[in-house]
Amino acid sequence: MNKIIFISFLVWTLAIGSLQAQNNATNICNTDEKKVAFLFFNGVWNTKKDARNLMNLLKQRYGNKSSQGDTIVYEVMYNTTKGKYSVQDIAETFAQKLKEKGLSIRYEIYYLLRVPYAYDMLKNIPWIKEYTGSRKS
Amino acid sequence: MKKLHFTFLVVSILFISGCQLDFWESSGRIPKLDRTDTLSGVDANNDGVRDDIEKWIKKRWEKEPLKQKALLQYAKAAQKSVMVDLNNQEEIEKIDELDTRAQNCLWSRFTSNDLHSENHPINIGKEIDAYTTNTKERLTHYLAYNEKLDGTTSRLPEGDTCDE
């Protein structure tokens, strides 16, 4: 999943980034100040917060000014996944697993599996191993 | 030595029986969560943060008040997103704006570059999200809220967006 998100991110960032560079990135800003914009089209199996987190990682790397001194802005264009494999479908599969294991009260596991140190603790539980394995395939 | 063996035995039993979360909960590593069947849960002092999460944040980060405040702001915005009227698009987008500001505040006060650290804003933010969406109703509502944000854009804010 991370690979898909990364590739989607990379493709869009490169495409939009180069377009913006050609136009000196002035057309989306309505000001005379030159700006470089990172536009991140995202929403594949993630939340808007996830998308903003990835943008923040980029911001951490590139900062607020380009090497030419132009202001860099970071924008998330959020488009959710629709159809069979939406986030809600994934959550429903997860809910089914929790029910099977008699853990229906522990929905916090859904997001804790996305926290590395929590995942390290939980990953060896057989059904979680099975669940996360099936998500990857 | 005996105490060490006993501790090891207890930890092993908890691990083998898949009760790691119970263990974390009793040790205070994660909060004892409100599992009432409402979206809001219990917020007795009406400050917008669920009491179980508030208590945990205040205790766990008691020596770092700036981080504590950033987390409370983040938890408050997260709580709004699991309670929002899903038919009110204007309200949904207002909450998204609050979320953006709270997330930005978190990034300004949790500055670790280590993606495995609990001091990394992504990780601590996800922990709060996990606790906020800890029942089926809350998780489903939160995901539906995200669906409603489909097609929206937001720019990462500049400057200080912390409320306190």
Side-chain angles (χ1 to χ4, degrees):
Chain A
M1 192 167 86
N2 284 341
K3 203 173 171 184
I4 293 171
I5 292 170
F6 178 71
I7 291 169
S8 140
F9 163 78
L10 201 63
V11 168
W12 283 106
T13 305
L14 289 174
I16 303 300
S18 76
L19 270 178
Q20 293 306 325
Q22 283 172 11
N23 295 332
N24 287 332
T26 50
N27 52 340
I28 63 162
C29 307
N30 298 325
T31 68
D32 292 334
E33 186 190 1
K34 280 188 181 179
K35 290 190 179 184
V36 176
F38 279 104
L39 304 181
F40 185 16
F41 288 76
N42 196 242
V44 183
W45 296 336
N46 65 12
T47 62
K48 197 166 176 188
K49 265 187 198 172
D50 293 331
R52 277 196 297 259
N53 274 331
L54 292 171
M55 271 312 229
N56 269 302
L57 282 175
L58 203 66
K59 189 177 178 183
Q60 204 175 46
R61 172 74 179 79
Y62 293 102
N64 292 320
K65 291 275 178 198
S66 73
S67 52
Q68 283 79 35
D70 301 333
T71 302
I72 305 178
V73 294
Y74 298 84
E75 262 186 63
V76 171
M77 330 288 271
Y78 186 63
N79 285 286
T80 57
T81 313
K82 294 162 197 80
K84 196 179 171 189
Y85 298 110
S86 68
V87 176
Q88 297 220 24
D89 286 326
I90 294 169
E92 200 49 55
T93 311
F94 180 76
Q96 191 57 39
K97 272 280 171 206
L98 280 183
K99 199 175 170 188
E100 281 170 22
K101 304 297 167 187
L103 282 168
S104 290
I105 61 162
R106 289 234 178 247
Y107 274 78
E108 63 271 24
I109 296 174
Y110 184 78
Y111 275 110
L112 283 178
L113 286 176
R114 289 153 178 78
V115 179
Y117 43 84
Y119 175 73
D120 285 345
M121 287 294 287
L122 296 167
K123 69 182 178 191
N124 291 321
I125 299 174
W127 74 268
I128 287 185
K129 212 173 186 175
E130 187 188 318
Y131 171 73
T132 51
S134 67
R135 269 176 52 215
K136 280 173 191 161
S137 60
Chain B
M1 196 65 180
K2 272 185 179 174
K3 199 176 169 186
L4 192 68
H5 281 157
F6 179 71
T7 310
F8 179 72
L9 182 70
V10 171
V11 171
S12 302
I13 290 169
L14 287 170
F15 187 81
I16 289 162
S17 59
C19 294
Q20 284 90 333
L21 289 175
D22 292 333
F23 178 68
W24 280 6
E25 213 172 68
S26 58
S27 71
R29 173 61 190 82
I30 63 173
K32 283 190 196 315
L33 293 171
D34 172 310
R35 300 186 192 280
T36 50
D37 60 0
T38 58
L39 288 172
S40 61
V42 179
D43 176 19
N45 59 5
N46 258 325
D47 63 351
V49 184
R50 228 171 64 202
D51 291 347
D52 52 341
I53 297 173
E54 181 179 358
K55 191 176 158 194
W56 178 77
I57 291 172
K58 286 188 171 167
K59 185 149 192 255
R60 187 155 180 79
W61 302 93
E62 66 182 335
K63 290 179 182 159
E64 296 180 86
L66 287 179
K67 286 184 175 176
Q68 191 187 80
K69 283 172 184 164
L71 284 170
L72 288 170
Q73 183 180 342
Y74 186 92
K76 192 173 178 177
Q79 176 71 358
K80 280 183 189 291
S81 64
V82 297
M83 291 168 61
V84 66
D85 174 2
L86 293 172
N87 294 313
N88 188 341
Q89 188 64 27
E90 196 182 330
E91 189 61 20
I92 286 168
E93 287 176 27
K94 263 188 203 164
I95 291 170
D96 181 46
E97 177 62 26
L98 289 178
D99 254 342
T100 307
R101 293 177 59 82
Q103 207 173 354
N104 197 57
C105 174
L106 207 63
W107 274 82
S108 70
R109 292 187 181 173
F110 286 79
T111 52
S112 170
N113 285 324
D114 177 2
L115 279 165
H116 277 76
S117 161
E118 68 174 331
N119 273 304
H120 195 285
I122 293 182
N123 295 335
I124 192 65
K126 282 212 186 300
E127 265 202 68
I128 300 294
D129 293 339
Y131 305 143
T132 307
T133 60
N134 69 317
T135 66
K136 187 173 185 181
E137 291 70 25
R138 291 170 192 162
L139 178 62
T140 309
H141 198 92
Y142 178 65
L143 295 175
Y145 156 78
N146 265 281
E147 285 279 315
K148 294 280 182 178
L149 291 173
D150 183 31
T152 60
T153 63
S154 55
R155 181 174 293 191
L156 297 190
E158 301 290 325
D160 182 9
T161 55
C162 298
D163 290 343
E164 290 182 72

